[in-house]
Amino acid sequence: MDTTTSPVMTGAAAPSMVRRNGETIGFVIMVAALIVAPFFVYPLFLMQAMCFALFACAFNLLIGYGGLLSFGHALYFGWASYLAAHAAKVWGLTPELAILTGTATAAVFGLAAGSLAIRRQGIYFAMITLALAQMMYFVALRMKFTGGEDGIQAVPRGHLFGVIDLTNDMTMYVVVLVIFLAGFMLIYRIIHSPFGEVLKAIRENEPRAVSLGYKTERYKLIAFMLSATLAGVAGSTKAITMQIASLTDVNWPMSGEVVLMTLVGGLGTIFGPVVGAFVILFMQFKLSVVGEWVLVIQGVIFVTCVLLFRRGIVGEIAALFKR
Amino acid sequence: MPVEVDLILVTEGLTKDFAGFTAVGGVDLQVRRGTIHALIGPNGAGKTTCFNLLTKFLSPSSGRIVYNGRDITAMQPADVARLGLVRSFQISAVFPHMTVLENVRIALQRLKRGSSFDFWRSKSVLDEYNDRALSLIDDVGLSDYALANAVELPYGRKRALEIATTLALEPDMLLLDEPTAGMGHEDIARIADLIKRVAKNRTVLMVEHNLSVVADLSDTITVLTRGRVLAEGDYATVSNNPEVREAYMGVGHA
Ligand SMILES: Nc1ncnc2c1ncn2[C@@H]1O[C@H](COP(=O)(O)OP(=O)(O)O)[C@@H](O)[C@H]1O
Ligand SMILES: [Mg+2]
């Protein structure tokens, strides 16, 4: 459109352009940091952090942009990691196919759980997602293939496409980075798609969206499935990278942790979950010497965020720039 | 011989019970195509409930709803909207943290793209609706606000935005629930004028408390009390009905 002839559209471009410029700068910084980071920080730590960052981004897609609080996202993360680990170790699939297997599992669970939960609102929605996740936790605990308390250990990283050996951490790092960035960009695209616009409208005022003729439940279900599937990508990638799938990843504290990461980083912001995931993991890593106290410290941070910095780290920074 | 009239909306014995309390009881409504039809009555008469029934936000306990010759009693609310019967809400219904332009565009998106779920496409494909959206926004006098978030608009402007959004769907019939409630004189005049304009080639059914607006705009008035139709007719007929004067006009409105 010719901006000189339409004063309104000239103005229209302004605020969204500021936002987009900020996002582009943020993205460049993030990519640059992730490229140089493995030369200074343990690659294993970074890879794990990227998996959690993608998990948190997937969760944020649902709560931050769809307004749906799932309190059972460990279900998709954890079960995807089991299936990916099993596929790689027992079926001998190549890592990309193992990750695909885990991801497909998460998608199916997402469809099933979403269909049940989506009809409920607010706290009831959260409770159903939690209940289903706990149910599937017990299934994981009881089933043979998950290895119960031991989990699935010594998962082979294998050869990507049957060719590239992933044993080397730096090679693995590149793969995880590519997966993370692809997932991140897909989420960005979903948020800024026609579908994302409808999702936003539903979050803002669902009855109104219905009265305009939108079948809101279908939109919410698809958002739920997308979120679960991407959580599955994260869980599968983590299982292959860390070479283990365990009960920790499928249990409710994991569902809580992803909420914490998202809140600390900034709910409903693009980069918030990434920052949140890195901050929380770094803390756990540094504070591992104090043992259980790390949970108390996390609790304090959680409460502080909710009370003082509701927008999270990224949200507060963005607000500073707007002023 | 009765004259053949073109009815767009007909209800037969429309009833809604809430746990034994009858909010709407056996309402027979007949709305002629191309008219402005007002639904009036004291608070709690069941007007909003009627709207919820007509747009399927509530299911009737009994009775039938026929729209454009089609029984819509068992339909989903989104499907009713797609047939061109679109409502507004008593409490202003905008998408607060979306701009005025985006508010209208979301309706255009539904009209033009149906319910596509294209999450892989950039939303810049929606820019092609900007011109149409801006012209709708201009129609309701909101040009200066196109880029403001809806939440920042004064109350009267929010109602105007709601109407613009509704009109974007090119509905055959509009249901407006108290479009002028809580407004000052100026806003009321503007909205009344707007309703008159948009009603030119469509049907409007509206709940309205402001009797001068009702007198000015409506072709037909249905008076509801305690969930039942008390009287029906044009303004002169209804306002001279002694029961109506007692039940409704006597109170508050001199
Ligand atoms: N969801 C509901 N549950 C129970 N009672 C309701 C509900 N909605 C409306 N009512 C009751 O039905 C009656 C009619 O309400 P309403 O249709 O909102 O009246 P009006 O719009 O004419 O002021 C009121 O007594 C109200 O309390
Ligand atoms: Mg009402």
Side-chain angles (χ1 to χ4, degrees):
Chain A
M1 184 189 274
D2 185 0
T3 45
T4 52
T5 57
S6 174
V8 174
M9 294 322 291
T10 318
S16 68
M17 221 132 90
V18 170
R19 174 182 62 75
R20 236 174 279 157
N21 282 343
E23 284 167 358
T24 310
I25 294 168
F27 188 73
V28 170
I29 292 175
M30 181 175 81
V31 173
L34 288 174
I35 288 173
V36 298
F39 298 103
F40 302 97
V41 188
Y42 297 121
L44 220 48
F45 169 83
L46 292 170
M47 286 190 274
Q48 189 173 16
M50 277 192 280
C51 291
F52 278 109
L54 182 56
F55 182 27
C57 286
F59 172 78
N60 185 43
L61 174 64
L62 199 57
I63 173 80
Y65 296 91
L68 296 168
L69 171 60
S70 157
F71 217 78
H73 250 45
L75 164 57
Y76 317 105
F77 187 76
W79 271 86
S81 77
Y82 275 131
L83 265 291
H86 186 75
K89 189 175 175 180
V90 180
W91 299 340
L93 294 189
T94 49
E96 75 283 357
L97 290 180
I99 290 172
L100 221 55
T101 307
T103 303
T105 309
V108 171
F109 283 162
L111 177 62
S115 310
L116 289 172
I118 226 76
R119 281 162 212 289
R120 307 275 165 232
Q121 312 280 338
I123 194 73
Y124 298 103
F125 177 85
M127 280 166 61
I128 289 181
T129 54
L130 174 62
L132 289 171
Q134 275 317 91
M135 198 179 83
M136 289 311 288
Y137 164 76
F138 284 110
V139 173
L141 183 65
R142 294 277 169 248
M143 277 182 86
K144 274 255 151 33
F145 92 98
T146 62
E149 304 277 357
D150 299 329
I152 306 176
Q153 299 187 13
V155 177
R157 281 183 182 174
H159 290 69
L160 187 69
F161 306 118
V163 186
I164 307 163
D165 187 358
L166 296 180
T167 318
N168 182 294
D169 272 350
M170 277 306 194
T171 320
M172 188 75 231
Y173 186 87
V174 174
V175 175
V176 175
L177 179 60
V178 168
I179 291 174
F180 166 73
L181 289 179
F184 182 89
M185 288 193 292
L186 175 61
I187 290 170
Y188 182 86
R189 171 42 62 86
I190 294 170
I191 291 164
H192 298 287
S193 69
F195 172 82
E197 283 290 286
V198 179
L199 205 57
K200 188 171 171 191
I202 293 172
R203 185 193 61 190
E204 290 273 294
N205 190 339
E206 183 165 357
R208 181 53 168 164
V210 171
S211 81
L212 295 180
Y214 283 110
K215 304 210 178 229
T216 58
E217 285 185 355
R218 288 198 202 157
Y219 283 85
K220 290 198 283 188
L221 179 58
I222 289 176
F224 195 92
M225 252 188 93
L226 286 170
S227 172
T229 307
L230 284 155
V233 175
S236 308
T237 308
K238 177 174 174 260
I240 299 295
T241 311
M242 309 310 285
Q243 304 186 272
I244 183 168
S246 73
L247 283 174
T248 317
D249 292 341
V250 82
N251 202 359
W252 66 267
M254 184 55 70
S255 298
E257 202 150 288
V258 78
V259 177
L260 180 66
M261 288 170 178
T262 307
L263 270 181
V264 167
L267 189 102
T269 64
I270 304 279
F271 296 104
V274 180
V275 173
F278 273 82
V279 166
I280 296 290
L281 278 190
F282 183 72
M283 237 179 51
Q284 289 176 350
F285 182 66
K286 282 284 160 196
L287 297 176
S288 53
V289 284
V290 299
E292 296 282 294
W293 281 96
V294 78
L295 291 177
V296 177
I297 297 172
Q298 264 186 30
V300 170
I301 292 181
F302 185 84
V303 172
T304 312
C305 272
V306 170
L307 292 181
L308 295 179
F309 310 106
R310 303 200 100 172
R311 289 182 280 223
I313 298 170
V314 172
E316 294 292 342
I317 293 173
L320 276 182
F321 275 99
K322 254 179 221 157
R323 249 180 260 134
Chain B
M1 277 294 286
V3 188
E4 192 65 32
V5 283
D6 185 7
L7 298 175
I8 187 168
L9 185 79
V10 177
T11 71
E12 292 163 7
L14 196 60
T15 300
K16 181 68 187 179
D17 299 314
F18 291 113
F21 169 76
T22 305
V24 174
V27 168
D28 299 322
L29 213 58
Q30 300 196 327
V31 182
R32 276 175 296 137
R33 188 183 305 279
T35 60
I36 299 182
H37 193 131
L39 196 57
I40 66 172
N43 273 326
K47 306 180 296 291
T48 298
T49 305
C50 253
F51 269 28
N52 285 334
L53 292 171
L54 293 176
T55 49
K56 305 304 303 153
F57 277 68
L58 286 174
S59 297
S61 309
S62 64
R64 238 160 61 91
I65 307 165
V66 177
Y67 171 72
N68 262 336
R70 189 166 168 179
D71 191 324
I72 62 164
T73 316
M75 274 193 180
Q76 293 295 312
D79 292 320
V80 172
R82 283 154 190 247
L83 290 179
L85 175 58
V86 184
R87 70 174 300 178
S88 73
F89 291 82
Q90 181 166 353
I91 298 159
S92 96
V94 294
F95 302 111
H97 300 100
M98 293 167 74
T99 65
V100 167
L101 179 70
E102 287 167 340
N103 264 266
V104 176
R105 215 171 58 173
I106 203 83
L108 287 170
Q109 184 182 339
R110 214 283 288 139
L111 183 74
K112 309 278 186 190
R113 305 173 74 86
S115 42
S116 60
F117 303 98
D118 38 4
F119 57 80
W120 55 88
R121 227 175 287 237
S122 163
K123 74 173 175 187
S124 60
V125 295
L126 302 178
D127 286 345
E128 62 171 303
Y129 311 135
N130 284 354
D131 288 344
R132 173 76 184 127
L134 288 171
S135 98
L136 283 159
I137 289 167
D138 193 38
D139 277 350
V140 299
L142 288 180
S143 294
D144 293 344
Y145 297 87
L147 300 170
N149 273 346
V151 67
E152 292 157 18
L153 298 185
Y155 186 77
R157 306 281 184 176
K158 278 194 187 122
R159 300 312 303 239
L161 170 58
E162 234 183 295
I163 293 176
T165 308
T166 304
L167 288 177
L169 295 177
E170 295 169 16
D172 293 329
M173 180 166 179
L174 260 72
L175 266 52
L176 305 173
D177 199 350
E178 304 197 13
T180 68
M183 280 186 196
H185 282 301
E186 241 172 75
D187 279 341
I188 292 179
R190 187 173 29 228
I191 295 289
D193 184 58
L194 179 59
I195 294 171
K196 211 184 277 183
R197 270 194 296 129
V198 305
K200 284 241 168 68
N201 38 21
R202 37 175 79 81
T203 313
V204 175
L205 176 63
M206 64 174 187
V207 170
E208 182 55 57
H209 279 305
N210 187 312
L211 288 188
S212 66
V213 171
V214 171
D216 181 28
L217 292 183
S218 10
D219 301 296
T220 313
I221 298 164
T222 301
V223 186
L224 217 58
T225 51
R226 299 200 188 90
R228 291 176 192 281
V229 175
L230 182 68
E232 194 168 69
D234 61 16
Y235 187 76
T237 315
V238 166
S239 59
N240 286 322
N241 182 317
E243 274 185 293
V244 173
R245 298 184 78 95
E246 188 188 339
Y248 182 59
M249 309 207 172
V251 207
H253 303 271

